[in-house]
Amino acid sequence: ETGVTQTPRHLVMGMTNKKSLKCEQHLGHNAMYWYKQSAKKPLELMFVYNFKEQTENNSVPSRFSPECPNSSHLFLHLHTLQPEDSALYLCASSQGLAGYYEQYFGPGTRLTVT
Amino acid sequence: GQNIDQPTEMTATEGAIVQINCTYQTSGFNGLFWYQQHAGEAPTFLSYNVLDGLEEKGRFSSFLSRSKGYSYLLLKELQMKDSASYLCAVIGNAGNMLTFGGGTRLMVKP
């Protein structure tokens, strides 16, 4: 257990569905991140939040919409996804921004888009 | 742009030493991380280098040469549980963004 939880752990959705991924950190950290991990591709940063404010959007399509209501919770809202969006979505947190602090990762949500 | 290269796979024997290399070409440099990821699990932090030289932490050591854009992770006294993917990641000029290499899948055999 890293202190970062993610739900659901597995999700299957159709291309017309709307779903949300949830991440919660119990470490008192100020920065939270969403990553995408696809087979045979590097772990890819999607969004960065620091003190609830989005500081980075790594050119992510608008069908992915993040929300950070407070420093402990992070959501990723999904709609009209494509099959190529099937991947493991990892949430992470750090005490401060990534340049100086290690990140703690959650177990991920395995997403399959049919 | 950012480019981080690592070997895709390596195999080593239990009890041996293995060195996993990482080369990077990035827009600026503010630190390099190594993470370990077991199959089906989350990545976990191993080491952080920002200055040149060797950082030792138990059986694991990490080396950095900023002038060469090069790092390695050294694993000593290999154990079966060390079978995992090892991810090299760099912070460039955009200090908020960690860029990962593709990872090196290490298989430790008896």
Side-chain angles (χ1 to χ4, degrees):
Chain A
E1 283 292 327
T2 62
V4 181
T5 58
Q6 291 186 243
T7 54
R9 295 293 308 277
H10 300 272
L11 178 63
V12 179
M13 60 186 287
M15 289 190 285
T16 58
N17 291 158
K18 289 184 180 181
K19 297 285 185 183
S20 295
L21 309 184
K22 179 182 175 183
C23 175
E24 183 174 359
Q25 58 97 357
H26 311 274
L27 301 168
H29 289 167
N30 298 313
M32 296 188 77
Y33 313 81
W34 279 117
Y35 287 89
K36 176 182 179 183
Q37 190 170 37
S38 305
K40 304 199 185 291
K41 292 177 75 174
L43 194 59
E44 182 182 2
L45 179 68
M46 299 175 73
F47 301 104
V48 180
Y49 279 82
N50 191 38
F51 290 99
K52 305 187 300 177
E53 299 297 322
Q54 185 180 125
T55 61
E56 300 291 344
N57 175 338
N58 196 19
S59 303
V60 181
S62 60
R63 58 186 184 270
F64 295 91
S65 175
E67 179 190 359
C68 189
N70 55 60
S71 292
S72 299
H73 294 86
L74 186 64
F75 295 89
L76 188 62
H77 303 300
L78 316 171
H79 64 97
T80 58
L81 293 191
Q82 305 298 311
E84 59 264 29
D85 296 322
S86 297
L88 181 68
Y89 289 85
L90 290 163
C91 174
S93 71
S94 61
Q95 183 178 344
L97 289 177
Y100 304 99
Y101 299 97
E102 66 187 86
Q103 294 183 30
Y104 292 77
F105 286 83
T109 295
R110 174 71 62 186
L111 174 67
T112 303
V113 181
T114 60
Chain B
Q2 317 278 70
N3 190 40
I4 300 173
D5 289 314
Q6 313 177 226
T8 306
E9 287 190 351
M10 298 182 71
T11 302
T13 304
E14 191 176 15
I17 299 173
V18 70
Q19 177 174 313
I20 302 174
N21 295 326
C22 172
T23 58
Y24 62 89
Q25 291 141 2
T26 56
S27 302
F29 178 83
N30 282 296
L32 185 144
F33 291 80
W34 283 97
Y35 282 83
Q36 180 190 60
Q37 186 176 24
H38 285 98
E41 297 183 14
T44 54
F45 170 80
L46 287 178
S47 68
Y48 171 63
N49 294 71
V50 66
L51 299 176
D52 289 351
L54 188 68
E55 295 276 345
E56 297 187 73
K57 191 185 292 186
R59 293 190 299 115
F60 292 7
S61 304
S62 58
F63 172 83
L64 175 67
S65 169
R66 289 172 296 171
S67 62
K68 295 182 179 177
Y70 168 69
S71 173
Y72 67 72
L73 181 69
L74 193 70
L75 291 73
K76 302 176 185 174
E77 300 168 18
L78 280 173
Q79 302 176 9
M80 298 299 291
K81 67 178 183 179
D82 297 329
S83 294
S85 288
Y86 292 85
L87 312 178
C88 173
V90 174
I91 295 281
N93 276 340
N96 300 346
M97 296 179 62
L98 199 58
T99 301
F100 281 83
T104 299
R105 185 178 167 208
L106 174 66
M107 289 174 281
V108 179
K109 295 186 174 180

